[in-house]
Amino acid sequence: VRAATRSVVGVAESVLLVLHKGVIKVARSELLGLPFEDYRSLPVDLASIHVVELSTQAPNYTVRNATQHLGELHIADAVAPRQ
């Protein structure tokens, strides 16, 4: 995941990655230069959006764990086991 993330950086002006939760955490940590051991510390909700803007300076994490696009849909309720 880390090598793949590095390979797409700088290839195009904009890149859209649609990933699973754990892969998002690792890719985000790689892009932000965080220690690999810390990749679990930042939340990633189901169907969330994250935007990291890259430039010649430090990466800018502009959208973090956004779920507003889901409206009133409650993903956690949809995947929780029924009692």
Side-chain angles (χ1 to χ4, degrees):
V1 171
R2 295 172 71 197
T5 301
R6 285 191 300 272
S7 73
V8 298
V9 173
V11 173
E13 187 173 316
S14 297
V15 177
L16 169 67
L17 303 173
V18 179
L19 308 168
H20 288 276
K21 185 176 184 174
V23 180
I24 291 172
K25 289 182 174 193
V26 173
R28 176 186 53 198
S29 293
E30 182 67 23
L31 291 171
L32 296 174
L34 300 174
F36 179 73
E37 300 78 28
D38 295 343
Y39 82 95
R40 291 187 178 137
S41 66
L42 300 171
V44 174
D45 290 335
L46 292 175
S48 60
I49 295 174
H50 302 260
V51 176
V52 178
E53 294 181 1
L54 304 175
S55 67
T56 56
Q57 299 172 352
N60 187 13
Y61 195 7
T62 58
V63 178
R64 301 171 188 243
N65 207 38
T67 56
Q68 297 87 345
H69 62 284
L70 299 173
E72 296 199 22
L73 178 64
H74 299 285
I75 297 291
D77 296 339
V79 296
R82 297 188 187 269
Q83 297 182 8

